[in-house]
């Protein structure tokens, strides 16, 4: 865990803990989409765990909505990086229902052991290539969800202009990634297009219910899954 923590501490610092004005604008767009999906679920009590909370801003937007709608909820913000947890706590400093919010340091690769198998109702994970979408993390995340549990997460949109044009040869090579890595258990990759996402998550009983693109200039793709059994 130490090497993983060090890597993500450095990455988080390089990305200003995902707390720039630009990042918050994207998080607001993602939150609006996720809120629409959460409303459609029409749950009596929304028990949500966020995996890789970063600055906590997306979670705040969702909690503000649930409060405005007078919904019963609990929201747990988790991250591997302690600085992100502290940043998220500051983001929630003025939130008036702190008793419904919790913060935990958590390694996504051990999430089913730390939170318990078949224990989670709704899980949310963002960050473009969000923690819950890492190839080796998906099985643990799936094991954490109850039957009919919901996972909402985002992915890099490799074919948006901002990403595709930055490295055209590499972008073109991704067109064949789905076929190349589909049956390669040793690879850490799978294709971040609709077909690749659907195919990989189905291996772990996660049915793709919907997928949306947030913004055209760069990122991300947001998807919603349901645990089938």
């Amino acid at each position: 865990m130490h090497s993983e923590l060090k890597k993500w501490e450095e990455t988080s610092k390089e990305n200003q803990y995902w707390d720039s004005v630009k990042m918050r604008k994207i998080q607001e767009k993602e939150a609006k989409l996720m809120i629409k999906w959460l409303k459609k679920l029409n749950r009596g009590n929304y028990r949500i765990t966020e995996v890789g909370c970063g600055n906590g801003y997306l979670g705040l937007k969702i909690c503000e909505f649930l409060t405005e709608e007078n919904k019963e909820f609990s929201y747990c913000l988790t991250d591997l990086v302690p600085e992100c947890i502290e940043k998220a706590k500051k983001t929630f400093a003025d939130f008036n229902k702190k008793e419904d919010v919790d913060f935990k340091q958590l390694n996504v690769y051990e999430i089913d052991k730390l939170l318990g198998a078949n224990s989670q109702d709704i899980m949310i994970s963002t960050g473009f290539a969000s923690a819950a979408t890492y190839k080796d993390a998906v099985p643990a995340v799936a094991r954490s969800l109850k039957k009919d549990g919901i996972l909402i997460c985002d992915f890099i949109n490799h074919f948006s202009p901002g990403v595709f044009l930055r490295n055209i040869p590499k972008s073109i090579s991704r067109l064949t990634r789905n076929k190349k890595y589909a049956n390669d258990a040793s690879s850490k990759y799978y294709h971040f297009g609709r077909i690749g996402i659907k195919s990989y998550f189905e291996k772990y009983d996660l049915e793709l219910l919907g997928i949306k693109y947030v913004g055209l200039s760069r990122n991300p793709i947001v998807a919603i899954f349901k645990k089938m059994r």
Side-chain angles (χ1 to χ4, degrees), residues 9-212:
E9 282 179 333
E10 293 173 354
T11 300
S12 299
K13 188 175 181 179
E14 288 171 4
N15 288 276
Q16 302 175 335
Y17 301 99
W18 292 273
D19 202 32
S20 65
V21 172
K22 182 177 181 180
M23 285 300 304
R24 286 201 173 210
K25 286 181 179 179
I26 295 172
Q27 290 160 358
E28 286 180 358
K29 290 180 179 179
E30 287 191 291
K32 287 179 181 178
L33 172 59
M34 292 181 187
I35 285 168
K36 287 181 181 179
W37 283 343
L38 291 172
K39 286 178 72 173
K40 287 183 179 180
L41 294 177
N42 196 27
R43 298 284 175 91
N45 191 328
Y46 287 83
R47 299 180 181 89
I48 302 173
T49 298
E50 185 174 349
V51 183
C53 64
N55 64 352
Y57 188 63
L58 179 134
L60 177 64
K61 295 289 106 180
I62 292 173
C63 288
E64 286 176 344
F65 157 74
L66 293 170
T67 300
E68 290 168 2
E69 295 289 313
N70 293 315
K71 299 289 187 181
E72 291 187 29
F73 73 94
S74 62
Y75 200 101
C76 182
L77 295 100
T78 75
D79 205 289
L80 178 63
V81 180
E83 289 84 354
C84 287
I85 297 294
E86 293 307 310
K87 177 73 72 172
K89 287 180 179 179
K90 290 180 181 178
T91 300
F92 272 82
D94 296 326
F95 184 64
N96 61 7
K97 292 192 68 179
K98 292 186 177 67
E99 68 276 10
D100 296 319
V101 181
D102 192 17
F103 303 87
K104 290 181 181 178
Q105 185 180 9
L106 184 147
N107 184 344
V108 68
Y109 298 107
E110 300 175 356
I111 193 168
D112 55 326
K113 298 173 184 176
L114 297 171
L115 298 183
N118 306 308
S119 66
Q120 301 299 300
D121 289 332
I122 301 170
M123 301 179 78
I124 290 174
S125 187
T126 64
F128 299 178
S130 54
T133 68
Y134 304 156
K135 189 175 183 182
D136 292 339
V138 173
V141 170
R143 286 192 294 268
S144 300
L145 281 168
K146 297 177 180 178
K147 181 181 181 298
D148 296 327
I150 296 295
L151 170 65
I152 302 175
C153 51
D154 67 4
F155 302 82
I156 296 171
N157 181 2
H158 286 301
F159 301 107
S160 63
V163 175
F164 191 89
L165 297 176
R166 190 166 55 204
N167 190 330
I168 293 176
K170 188 175 181 179
S171 297
I172 292 173
S173 73
R174 291 193 183 102
L175 291 169
T176 61
R177 177 178 284 183
N178 187 48
K179 183 177 180 180
K180 182 178 180 181
Y181 295 119
N183 298 307
D184 185 355
S186 65
S187 172
K188 67 178 182 179
Y189 298 110
Y190 59 96
H191 193 268
F192 276 8
R194 179 186 289 268
I195 295 174
I197 291 169
K198 182 176 184 294
S199 174
Y200 187 69
F201 280 70
E202 278 182 349
K203 293 180 180 180
Y204 301 99
D205 297 320
L206 292 168
E207 179 188 11
L208 180 63
L209 300 181
I211 192 165
K212 295 287 186 181

